Amino acid sequence: MGTQAPIDHTYDRQRSVEEKLEKQKAIDDWLPITSSRNAKWWYSTFHNVTAMVGAGVLGLPYAMAELGWGPGVAVMVLSWIITLYTLWQMVEMHEMVPGRRFDRYHELGQYAFGEKLGLYIVVPQQLLVEVGVNILYMVTGGQSLQKFQKTVCPSCTPIKTTYFIMIFASVHFVLSHLPNFNSIAGVSLAAAVMSLSYSTIAWTASLHKGVQPDVQYGYAAKSTAGTVFNFFAALGDVAFAYAGHNVVLEIQATIPSTPEKPSKGPMWRGVIVAYIIVALCYFPVALIGYWMYGNSVEGNILISLEKPAWLIAMANMFVVIHVIGSYQIYAMPVFDMMETALVKKLHFKPTRTLRFVTRNIYVAFTMFIGMTFPFFSGLLSFFGGFAFAPTTYFLPCIMWLAIYKPRRYSLSWWTNWFCIVVGVLLMVLAPIGGLRLIIIQAKTYSFYS
């Protein structure tokens, strides 16, 4: 009798482990990031384009004007190269442990820095970026709708931005209930096409207008201090333009993977195509926009163009459609975090109702903040440097050094340290410029304007 008991215990233990695993698998099959793993490589292309090419591209000529020709081109090209390199690192690290996939940014952070520290380092930054972008896109969507209305019907009664933000949010109260990344592939494709379209409209219309008669390429600020601060703020704008890394692992998690055919192959192919499209969007807009208008270019190049009205109206509508897709891409990891916490930590049942309630609350929250602070873009170069620079420019490098431990003074070691130094400089300098902009513009800020 005495010899039999331990066998039962082992059997019980095994069963409870199996039950736990089954439960875990059921939850993973329900969560937005891990539920569907049958994406094609081109899904990663348009997800990445949608995530990266933001409405920020329309502000690049203005950033160029504050950086000047030499530094401007250097910063743009350097950012393109560094972020492509750090993106490659993320794609490589997704499956560096055989038999395991790091489906989320913070899982990789936990592997690199330890369970607790990894969460504390990655999650706040990732949330700041994703929620920040969602709020910004609420405002951008609302403002673009407003510009569309003003362009199409100049004699109509003007409507407050607040209401346009509500109209824009109404789309998300519907779209947010698409369960996972693969189900928003169509939305994302439309958004990626739109971003290429309005970027093309921006630079072709600028070319068509030609170089303005009294164009000047010097710095617009009168004082040295002003020039320096504007330079810092422009660095933040560029950092924001290249911030697609927060959702890379989550996008890669949707691609099928086997030991013979790991997901990094198709993912990397998608990323390369995406980066070529990003270059086609960014460089012509930034360089041609600055070349035609010089330092008198507006913060949004579409405002500088003014005519023909139908073209500007169309471009604004494209911005709206693109921002709808972008919002969803950035919201998906947030939904995943919220639902993971509710189901795994607080033991809610994974049901449709839970998803319906949490996602509606999130959309309402971003809408409310967007309506309250319509001057959110001013806060962006502040946050831009603060949160975008680390997650995009140097956090992947630090993880790479922590995990792979390349030989000191080897090429990999130097490359990573170079990126870390550039990233830290961005993180320190951009918020300084951003803060000054906020202080200057604060006089004209009004809530619910």
Side-chain angles (χ1 to χ4, degrees):
M1 202 61 188
T3 51
Q4 221 171 346
I7 299 168
D8 283 350
H9 279 317
T10 326
Y11 176 68
D12 285 348
R13 222 174 290 146
Q14 224 170 350
R15 222 172 97 189
S16 75
V17 167
E18 275 169 16
E19 275 173 8
K20 256 191 193 152
L21 283 172
E22 259 174 43
K23 211 170 175 185
Q24 190 65 32
K25 191 180 176 308
I27 291 175
D28 280 342
D29 287 345
W30 179 78
L31 288 171
I33 303 289
T34 42
S35 63
S36 171
R37 292 199 194 268
N38 53 6
K40 307 279 183 282
W41 71 267
W42 55 86
Y43 284 24
S44 80
T45 294
F46 43 78
H47 283 328
N48 275 307
V49 170
T50 305
M52 192 161 288
V53 182
V57 61
L58 300 172
L60 286 176
Y62 183 71
M64 279 292 297
E66 303 200 317
L67 293 166
W69 275 120
V73 174
V75 168
M76 291 275 298
V77 174
L78 250 182
S79 290
W80 192 84
I81 296 168
I82 289 178
T83 53
L84 182 59
Y85 171 67
T86 52
L87 213 144
W88 169 79
Q89 288 181 314
M90 307 256 312
V91 172
E92 285 290 313
M93 289 191 283
H94 178 73
E95 290 174 300
M96 63 193 162
V97 180
R100 186 172 172 197
R101 297 180 71 170
F102 296 110
D103 295 321
R104 300 166 179 86
Y105 206 149
H106 64 84
E107 289 175 12
L108 185 61
Q110 284 172 301
Y111 182 76
F113 307 124
E115 286 294 315
K116 276 267 168 67
L117 187 64
L119 270 184
Y120 292 143
I121 291 177
V122 178
V123 172
Q125 296 194 44
Q126 200 184 1
L127 276 177
L128 191 64
V129 171
E130 285 160 0
V131 179
V133 165
N134 280 159
I135 297 168
L136 175 82
Y137 283 164
M138 275 288 175
V139 180
T140 310
Q143 286 173 342
S144 298
L145 277 174
Q146 191 178 30
K147 282 181 205 139
F148 176 79
Q149 186 232 7
K150 277 183 184 161
T151 319
V152 173
C153 176
S155 55
C156 293
T157 324
I159 305 172
K160 284 169 85 173
T161 317
T162 310
Y163 299 125
F164 279 109
I165 294 177
M166 282 179 173
I167 296 168
F168 180 74
S170 64
V171 180
H172 294 294
F173 281 115
V174 179
L175 285 182
S176 293
H177 301 295
L178 290 169
N180 52 39
F181 262 127
N182 287 349
S183 61
I184 57 170
V187 182
S188 181
L189 173 63
V193 171
M194 289 304 145
S195 55
L196 195 57
S197 308
Y198 68 69
S199 303
T200 311
I201 288 179
W203 69 263
T204 45
S206 299
L207 253 185
H208 182 70
K209 281 199 118 169
V211 180
Q212 297 304 299
D214 48 355
V215 69
Q216 289 176 335
Y217 297 113
Y219 292 121
K222 301 287 177 281
S223 62
T224 315
T227 306
V228 173
F229 280 125
N230 285 351
F231 189 92
F232 290 166
L235 288 177
D237 294 340
V238 175
F240 172 58
Y242 285 101
H245 292 44
N246 292 281
V247 288
V248 170
L249 292 175
E250 285 83 350
I251 293 169
Q252 192 171 347
T254 62
I255 295 178
S257 178
T258 58
E260 299 77 50
K261 274 189 166 174
S263 64
K264 66 182 180 188
M267 179 68 184
W268 182 236
R269 193 186 311 162
V271 167
I272 290 287
V273 177
Y275 253 72
I276 292 168
I277 295 173
V278 165
L280 290 176
C281 288
Y282 284 12
F283 290 99
V285 173
L287 303 178
I288 293 172
Y290 180 44
W291 178 31
M292 297 303 155
Y293 292 98
N295 61 17
S296 64
V297 71
E298 294 284 346
N300 178 342
I301 181 92
L302 293 181
I303 298 174
S304 292
L305 290 169
E306 285 163 357
K307 290 178 175 49
W310 62 270
L311 192 69
I312 306 308
M314 195 162 79
N316 274 313
M317 212 58 221
F318 286 173
V319 173
V320 173
I321 297 170
H322 171 228
V323 170
I324 289 173
S326 271
Y327 182 97
Q328 289 303 321
I329 295 263
Y330 278 97
M332 204 52 85
V334 183
F335 294 154
D336 185 79
M337 279 187 210
M338 294 195 306
E339 287 164 17
T340 305
L342 288 169
V343 174
K344 289 187 179 175
K345 293 273 189 295
L346 304 172
H347 305 295
F348 277 86
K349 274 204 167 70
T351 57
R352 273 225 178 115
T353 321
L354 178 73
R355 191 164 266 177
F356 183 78
V357 173
T358 48
R359 294 188 177 192
N360 277 345
I361 289 173
Y362 177 74
V363 174
F365 167 75
T366 51
M367 174 185 81
F368 180 71
I369 302 286
M371 282 163 25
T372 313
F373 306 103
F375 44 83
F376 197 75
S377 59
L379 313 174
L380 196 89
S381 49
F382 181 65
F383 285 130
F386 229 44
F388 292 113
T391 47
T392 306
Y393 286 79
F394 67 86
L395 207 55
C397 297
I398 295 176
M399 288 179 184
W400 187 270
L401 290 173
I403 294 166
Y404 284 102
K405 304 188 174 54
R407 206 176 65 252
R408 259 199 180 177
Y409 311 120
S410 61
L411 182 64
S412 168
W413 189 88
W414 278 115
T415 314
N416 285 309
W417 276 107
F418 173 73
C419 295
I420 291 170
V421 170
V422 172
V424 171
L425 280 173
L426 258 179
M427 183 179 86
V428 175
L429 299 177
I432 300 173
L435 194 62
R436 177 171 171 273
L437 273 181
I438 293 172
I439 294 166
I440 291 174
Q441 294 170 349
K443 302 179 187 80
T444 58
Y445 284 166
S446 62
F447 295 105
Y448 300 107
S449 58

